[in-house]
Protein backbone atom coordinates (compact mmCIF):
# COMPACT_ATOMS: atom_id res chain seq x y z
CA UNK A 1 0.00 0.00 0.00
CA UNK A 2 2.85 2.40 0.82
CA UNK A 3 4.36 2.45 -2.71
CA UNK A 4 0.91 2.85 -4.24
CA UNK A 5 0.21 5.88 -2.04
CA UNK A 6 3.53 7.47 -3.06
CA UNK A 7 2.78 6.84 -6.73
CA UNK A 8 -0.71 8.29 -6.30
CA UNK A 9 0.84 11.40 -4.76
CA UNK A 10 3.21 11.68 -7.73
CA UNK A 11 0.27 11.41 -10.15
CA UNK A 12 -1.61 14.15 -8.26
CA UNK A 13 1.39 16.48 -8.29
CA UNK A 14 2.23 15.64 -11.91
CA UNK A 15 -1.29 16.51 -13.07
CA UNK A 16 -1.11 20.07 -11.74
CA UNK A 17 0.40 21.60 -14.87
CA UNK A 18 -2.31 19.99 -17.00
CA UNK A 19 -5.05 21.31 -14.73
CA UNK A 20 -3.41 24.72 -15.06
CA UNK A 21 -3.45 24.55 -18.86
CA UNK A 22 -7.13 23.56 -18.81
CA UNK A 23 -7.90 26.40 -16.40
CA UNK A 24 -6.23 28.88 -18.76
CA UNK A 25 -8.26 27.45 -21.64
CA UNK A 26 -11.40 28.15 -19.59
CA UNK A 27 -10.46 31.80 -19.27
CA UNK A 28 -8.96 31.72 -15.76
CA UNK A 29 -6.28 34.39 -15.42
CA UNK A 30 -3.01 33.85 -13.58
CA UNK A 31 -3.91 35.94 -10.54
CA UNK A 32 -7.20 34.13 -9.96
CA UNK A 33 -5.57 30.73 -10.43
CA UNK A 34 -2.94 31.44 -7.77
CA UNK A 35 -5.41 33.05 -5.37
CA UNK A 36 -7.99 30.27 -5.45
CA UNK A 37 -5.41 27.49 -5.49
CA UNK A 38 -3.94 28.59 -2.20
CA UNK A 39 -7.16 29.87 -0.61
CA UNK A 40 -8.97 26.55 -1.12
CA UNK A 41 -5.94 24.46 -0.14
CA UNK A 42 -5.27 26.57 2.95
CA UNK A 43 -8.86 26.27 4.15
CA UNK A 44 -8.85 22.47 3.77
CA UNK A 45 -5.40 21.99 5.30
CA UNK A 46 -6.17 24.24 8.25
CA UNK A 47 -9.31 22.22 8.99
CA UNK A 48 -7.37 18.93 8.79
CA UNK A 49 -4.43 20.28 10.79
CA UNK A 50 -6.72 21.63 13.50
CA UNK A 51 -8.68 18.37 13.68
CA UNK A 52 -5.41 16.47 14.19
CA UNK A 53 -4.19 18.97 16.76
CA UNK A 54 -0.89 19.71 15.02
CA UNK A 55 -1.36 23.48 15.29
CA UNK A 56 -1.66 23.54 19.06
CA UNK A 57 1.31 24.79 21.01
CA UNK A 58 3.32 26.04 18.04
CA UNK A 59 5.69 28.88 19.00
CA UNK A 60 4.71 32.24 17.58
CA UNK A 61 8.07 32.47 15.84
CA UNK A 62 7.45 29.15 14.05
CA UNK A 63 3.99 30.24 12.94
CA UNK A 64 5.30 33.52 11.53
CA UNK A 65 8.18 31.72 9.82
CA UNK A 66 5.81 29.23 8.18
CA UNK A 67 3.56 32.02 6.96
CA UNK A 68 6.59 33.87 5.56
CA UNK A 69 7.79 30.76 3.75
CA UNK A 70 4.46 30.61 1.94
CA UNK A 71 3.88 34.33 1.52
CA UNK A 72 7.34 34.99 0.07
CA UNK A 73 9.12 31.80 -0.99
CA UNK A 74 6.36 29.51 -2.17
CA UNK A 75 4.31 32.36 -3.62
CA UNK A 76 7.31 33.36 -5.74
CA UNK A 77 7.95 29.82 -6.94
CA UNK A 78 4.31 29.16 -7.78
CA UNK A 79 3.92 32.51 -9.54
CA UNK A 80 6.94 31.82 -11.74
CA UNK A 81 5.77 28.25 -12.46
CA UNK A 82 2.25 29.18 -13.53
CA UNK A 83 3.52 32.28 -15.32
CA UNK A 84 5.83 30.06 -17.36
CA UNK A 85 2.93 27.67 -17.96
CA UNK A 86 1.11 30.47 -19.79
CA UNK A 87 3.98 30.71 -22.28
CA UNK A 88 5.21 27.16 -22.85
CA UNK A 89 4.21 23.50 -22.96
CA UNK A 90 3.54 21.79 -19.65
CA UNK A 91 5.78 18.85 -20.58
CA UNK A 92 8.79 21.05 -21.33
CA UNK A 93 8.22 23.11 -18.19
CA UNK A 94 8.16 19.96 -16.06
CA UNK A 95 11.56 18.90 -17.40
CA UNK A 96 13.07 22.36 -16.82
CA UNK A 97 11.68 22.56 -13.29
CA UNK A 98 12.99 19.15 -12.40
CA UNK A 99 16.59 20.36 -12.30
CA UNK A 100 15.85 21.66 -8.79
CA UNK A 101 17.06 18.55 -6.89
CA UNK A 102 20.48 19.10 -8.46
CA UNK A 103 20.32 22.81 -7.57
CA UNK A 104 19.53 21.86 -3.98
CA UNK A 105 22.60 19.63 -3.94
CA UNK A 106 24.78 22.47 -5.26
CA UNK A 107 23.37 24.89 -2.69
CA UNK A 108 23.92 22.40 0.12
CA UNK A 109 27.58 21.97 -0.88
CA UNK A 110 28.17 25.73 -1.23
CA UNK A 111 26.61 26.37 2.19
CA UNK A 112 28.72 23.64 3.77
CA UNK A 113 25.79 21.42 4.66
CA UNK A 114 26.92 18.65 2.30
CA UNK A 115 30.23 17.32 1.03
CA UNK A 116 31.10 17.10 -2.62
CA UNK A 117 31.53 13.54 -3.82
CA UNK A 118 32.09 11.70 -7.07
CA UNK A 119 28.46 10.64 -7.05
CA UNK A 120 27.17 14.20 -6.68
CA UNK A 121 29.55 15.66 -9.23
CA UNK A 122 28.55 12.93 -11.69
CA UNK A 123 24.88 13.77 -11.10
CA UNK A 124 25.60 17.46 -11.74
CA UNK A 125 27.34 16.70 -15.04
CA UNK A 126 24.56 14.35 -16.14
CA UNK A 127 21.85 16.89 -15.25
CA UNK A 128 23.70 19.67 -17.08
CA UNK A 129 23.90 17.57 -20.24
CA UNK A 130 20.22 16.62 -19.96
CA UNK A 131 19.15 20.24 -19.45
CA UNK A 132 21.19 21.33 -22.47
CA UNK A 133 19.47 18.67 -24.58
CA UNK A 134 16.01 19.70 -23.35
CA UNK A 135 16.55 23.39 -24.07
CA UNK A 136 18.50 22.82 -27.27
CA UNK A 137 15.88 20.46 -28.64
CA UNK A 138 13.12 22.88 -27.71
CA UNK A 139 14.90 25.85 -29.24
CA UNK A 140 14.62 24.30 -32.68
CA UNK A 141 10.86 24.18 -32.17
CA UNK A 142 10.43 27.81 -31.08
CA UNK A 143 11.26 27.87 -27.37
CA UNK A 144 9.85 30.92 -25.57
CA UNK A 145 12.92 32.50 -23.88
CA UNK A 146 10.94 34.31 -21.17
CA UNK A 147 8.90 31.20 -20.39
CA UNK A 148 12.06 29.10 -20.11
CA UNK A 149 13.67 31.75 -17.88
CA UNK A 150 10.61 31.79 -15.64
CA UNK A 151 10.61 27.99 -15.46
CA UNK A 152 14.26 27.95 -14.45
CA UNK A 153 13.54 30.81 -12.04
CA UNK A 154 10.83 28.65 -10.45
CA UNK A 155 13.43 25.89 -9.95
CA UNK A 156 15.85 28.40 -8.36
CA UNK A 157 13.11 29.86 -6.14
CA UNK A 158 12.11 26.37 -5.03
CA UNK A 159 15.74 25.57 -4.25
CA UNK A 160 16.01 28.64 -2.01
CA UNK A 161 12.68 27.72 -0.40
CA UNK A 162 13.92 24.21 0.39
CA UNK A 163 17.25 25.35 1.81
CA UNK A 164 15.59 28.05 3.92
CA UNK A 165 12.89 25.63 5.06
CA UNK A 166 15.58 23.30 6.37
CA UNK A 167 16.29 25.86 9.07
CA UNK A 168 12.92 27.54 9.53
CA UNK A 169 10.80 24.40 9.81
CA UNK A 170 12.88 22.53 12.40
CA UNK A 171 10.65 20.69 14.82
CA UNK A 172 7.38 21.70 13.13
CA UNK A 173 4.90 18.98 12.12
CA UNK A 174 4.85 18.75 8.30
CA UNK A 175 1.06 19.04 8.13
CA UNK A 176 1.15 22.20 10.25
CA UNK A 177 3.86 23.70 8.06
CA UNK A 178 1.87 22.84 4.90
CA UNK A 179 -1.21 24.62 6.27
CA UNK A 180 0.81 27.68 7.27
CA UNK A 181 2.66 27.85 3.94
CA UNK A 182 -0.59 27.69 1.95
CA UNK A 183 -2.13 30.30 4.25
CA UNK A 184 0.83 32.63 3.76
CA UNK A 185 0.70 32.23 -0.01
CA UNK A 186 -3.08 32.81 0.00
CA UNK A 187 -2.54 36.05 1.94
CA UNK A 188 0.06 37.26 -0.57
CA UNK A 189 -2.17 36.59 -3.54
CA UNK A 190 -5.17 38.09 -1.77
CA UNK A 191 -3.23 41.34 -1.41
CA UNK A 192 -2.12 41.17 -5.04
CA UNK A 193 -5.69 40.51 -6.19
CA UNK A 194 -7.07 43.40 -4.13
CA UNK A 195 -4.44 45.74 -5.59
CA UNK A 196 -5.58 44.82 -9.10
CA UNK A 197 -9.28 45.23 -8.40
CA UNK A 198 -10.09 41.83 -6.93
CA UNK A 199 -10.75 38.47 -8.59
CA UNK A 200 -11.97 38.87 -12.15
CA UNK A 201 -14.21 35.78 -12.16
CA UNK A 202 -15.06 36.24 -15.83
CA UNK A 203 -14.03 32.71 -16.75
CA UNK A 204 -16.25 29.84 -17.88
CA UNK A 205 -17.97 27.64 -15.31
CA UNK A 206 -15.60 24.71 -15.95
CA UNK A 207 -12.77 26.94 -14.77
CA UNK A 208 -13.95 26.31 -11.21
CA UNK A 209 -13.54 22.59 -11.80
CA UNK A 210 -9.88 23.01 -12.78
CA UNK A 211 -9.22 25.42 -9.91
CA UNK A 212 -10.71 22.90 -7.49
CA UNK A 213 -8.64 20.13 -9.08
CA UNK A 214 -5.43 22.11 -8.61
CA UNK A 215 -6.22 22.87 -4.97
CA UNK A 216 -7.82 19.60 -3.88
CA UNK A 217 -6.10 17.00 -6.06
CA UNK A 218 -2.68 18.50 -6.77
CA UNK A 219 -2.17 20.19 -3.41
CA UNK A 220 -4.18 18.70 -0.53
CA UNK A 221 -4.61 15.11 -1.76
CA UNK A 222 -1.06 15.01 -3.10
CA UNK A 223 0.37 16.08 0.27
CA UNK A 224 -1.77 13.73 2.37
CA UNK A 225 -1.14 10.66 0.21
CA UNK A 226 2.58 11.39 0.29
CA UNK A 227 2.48 11.52 4.11
CA UNK A 228 0.64 8.21 4.24
CA UNK A 229 3.04 6.54 1.80
CA UNK A 230 6.10 7.97 3.51
CA UNK A 231 5.03 6.49 6.83
CA UNK A 232 4.94 3.04 5.24
CA UNK A 233 7.99 2.97 2.95
CA UNK A 234 10.40 5.55 4.38
CA UNK A 235 11.91 8.67 2.80
CA UNK A 236 14.35 7.02 0.36
CA UNK A 237 11.75 4.85 -1.36
CA UNK A 238 9.11 7.60 -1.23
CA UNK A 239 11.34 10.18 -2.89
CA UNK A 240 12.48 7.77 -5.60
CA UNK A 241 8.90 6.81 -6.36
CA UNK A 242 8.10 10.51 -6.66
CA UNK A 243 10.28 10.82 -9.75
CA UNK A 244 7.14 9.64 -11.55
CA UNK A 245 5.82 13.23 -11.37
CA UNK A 246 7.42 14.75 -14.51
CA UNK A 247 6.69 11.54 -16.40
CA UNK A 248 3.01 11.92 -15.51
CA UNK A 249 3.07 15.53 -16.69
CA UNK A 250 4.62 14.60 -20.05
CA UNK A 251 2.20 11.71 -20.64
CA UNK A 252 -0.89 13.73 -19.65
CA UNK A 253 0.26 16.68 -21.74
CA UNK A 254 0.37 14.43 -24.78
CA UNK A 255 -2.95 12.72 -24.02
CA UNK A 256 -5.02 15.70 -22.85
CA UNK A 257 -3.70 18.85 -24.49
CA UNK A 258 -1.94 17.36 -27.49
CA UNK A 259 1.60 18.35 -26.59
CA UNK A 260 4.54 16.33 -27.83
CA UNK A 261 8.25 16.31 -27.11
CA UNK A 262 10.85 16.00 -29.81
CA UNK A 263 13.27 13.10 -29.70
CA UNK A 264 16.11 15.29 -28.42
CA UNK A 265 13.90 16.76 -25.68
CA UNK A 266 12.68 13.32 -24.62
CA UNK A 267 16.25 12.03 -24.40
CA UNK A 268 17.26 15.13 -22.44
CA UNK A 269 14.38 14.65 -20.03
CA UNK A 270 15.37 11.03 -19.45
CA UNK A 271 18.95 12.16 -18.76
CA UNK A 272 17.76 14.75 -16.22
CA UNK A 273 15.64 12.12 -14.45
CA UNK A 274 18.60 9.74 -14.36
CA UNK A 275 20.68 12.45 -12.66
CA UNK A 276 17.97 12.92 -10.03
CA UNK A 277 17.92 9.17 -9.41
CA UNK A 278 21.71 9.18 -9.01
CA UNK A 279 21.35 11.79 -6.26
CA UNK A 280 18.40 10.12 -4.58
CA UNK A 281 19.27 6.45 -4.73
CA UNK A 282 20.10 5.31 -1.19
CA UNK A 283 23.62 4.12 -0.37
CA UNK A 284 24.64 1.44 2.07
CA UNK A 285 27.08 3.69 3.85
CA UNK A 286 25.79 5.28 7.04
CA UNK A 287 28.60 7.81 7.35
CA UNK A 288 27.53 10.25 4.67
CA UNK A 289 28.60 13.37 6.56
CA UNK A 290 26.35 16.33 7.31
CA UNK A 291 23.03 16.27 5.54
CA UNK A 292 20.84 19.05 4.33
CA UNK A 293 17.22 18.07 4.60
CA UNK A 294 14.67 18.97 2.01
CA UNK A 295 11.45 20.75 2.81
CA UNK A 296 8.87 20.68 0.12
CA UNK A 297 5.48 22.14 0.68
CA UNK A 298 3.96 19.78 3.22
CA UNK A 299 6.70 17.21 2.99
CA UNK A 300 8.81 15.80 5.80
CA UNK A 301 12.52 16.54 5.97
CA UNK A 302 14.43 14.51 3.41
CA UNK A 303 18.12 14.56 2.58
CA UNK A 304 19.10 15.98 -0.84
CA UNK A 305 20.20 12.57 -2.08
CA UNK A 306 16.58 11.59 -1.51
CA UNK A 307 14.85 14.62 -3.00
CA UNK A 308 12.25 14.20 -5.67
CA UNK A 309 9.66 16.55 -7.06
CA UNK A 310 6.52 19.79 -7.23
CA UNK A 311 5.66 21.90 -7.96
CA UNK A 312 4.20 20.80 -6.01
CA UNK A 313 5.24 23.44 -7.85
Amino acid sequence: MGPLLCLLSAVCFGAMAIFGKLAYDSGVVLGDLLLFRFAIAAALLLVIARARGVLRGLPRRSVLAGLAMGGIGYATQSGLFFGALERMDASLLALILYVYPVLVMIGAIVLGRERASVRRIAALVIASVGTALVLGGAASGGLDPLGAAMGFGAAVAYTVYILAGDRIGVGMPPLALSALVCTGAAFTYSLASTRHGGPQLGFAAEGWLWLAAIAVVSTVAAILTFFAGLARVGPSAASILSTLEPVVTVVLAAAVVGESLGVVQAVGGAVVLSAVLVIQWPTRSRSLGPRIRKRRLGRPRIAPEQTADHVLP
Side-chain angles (χ1 to χ4, degrees):
M1 180 61 72
L4 290 177
L5 287 168
C6 291
L7 291 174
L8 178 59
S9 174
V11 171
C12 291
F13 277 122
M16 182 166 59
I18 310 306
F19 293 148
K21 282 288 190 184
L22 293 171
Y24 289 150
D25 290 344
S26 300
V28 179
V29 298
L30 177 60
D32 286 356
L33 186 153
L34 293 167
L35 171 62
F36 287 111
R37 177 208 176 180
F38 286 114
I40 296 171
L44 293 174
L45 286 170
L46 284 171
V47 169
I48 296 169
R50 184 171 182 179
R52 298 186 62 177
V54 297
L55 296 174
R56 288 196 296 267
L58 288 179
R60 181 179 179 183
R61 181 177 179 181
S62 297
V63 172
L64 293 176
L67 292 172
M69 281 181 64
I72 300 172
Y74 207 74
T76 299
Q77 188 275 340
S78 193
L80 287 170
F81 175 84
F82 282 102
L85 190 63
E86 285 187 308
R87 309 180 67 93
M88 63 192 306
D89 288 350
S91 51
L92 180 57
L93 177 58
L95 297 180
I96 294 175
L97 182 70
Y98 219 69
V99 303
Y100 85 82
V102 178
L103 297 180
V104 171
M105 177 198 69
I106 295 172
I109 293 173
V110 170
L111 294 173
R113 302 183 192 176
E114 271 289 352
R115 295 181 303 180
S117 67
V118 173
R119 178 184 184 184
R120 296 185 178 103
I121 292 173
L124 174 59
V125 172
I126 293 170
S128 299
V129 171
T131 302
L133 289 172
V134 169
L135 297 179
S140 63
L143 175 70
D144 184 281
L146 179 57
M150 293 174 72
F152 188 74
V156 172
Y158 198 51
T159 298
V160 174
Y161 167 85
I162 289 169
L163 294 172
D166 176 62
R167 299 302 188 203
I168 294 173
V170 172
M172 192 184 305
L175 181 56
L177 183 62
S178 300
L180 291 172
V181 165
C182 281
T183 301
F187 179 74
T188 293
Y189 286 117
S190 294
L191 291 179
S193 179
T194 300
R195 184 177 179 182
H196 291 89
Q200 297 186 24
L201 304 180
F203 49 85
E206 61 264 25
W208 288 106
L209 172 64
W210 306 125
L211 289 174
I214 292 171
V216 177
V217 176
S218 295
T219 306
V220 177
I223 289 170
L224 296 180
T225 52
F226 186 86
F227 283 160
L230 180 73
R232 290 167 171 81
V233 303
S236 295
S239 58
I240 291 170
L241 289 166
S242 294
T243 57
L244 179 67
E245 287 182 28
V247 178
V248 169
T249 301
V250 171
V251 171
L252 288 179
V256 178
V257 295
E259 294 179 8
S260 61
L261 290 173
V263 175
V264 175
Q265 292 171 254
V267 171
V271 172
V272 171
L273 292 179
S274 68
V276 174
L277 287 174
V278 167
I279 296 172
Q280 294 170 331
W281 204 269
T283 61
R284 294 183 180 180
S285 172
R286 294 182 179 274
S287 56
L288 293 176
R291 288 179 179 256
I292 161 75
R293 293 177 179 266
K294 168 195 173 186
R295 176 76 65 181
R296 177 176 186 165
L297 173 61
R299 290 198 176 183
R301 300 163 63 80
I302 303 173
E305 300 94 327
Q306 301 166 341
T307 58
D309 316 281
H310 218 232
V311 174
L312 163 150

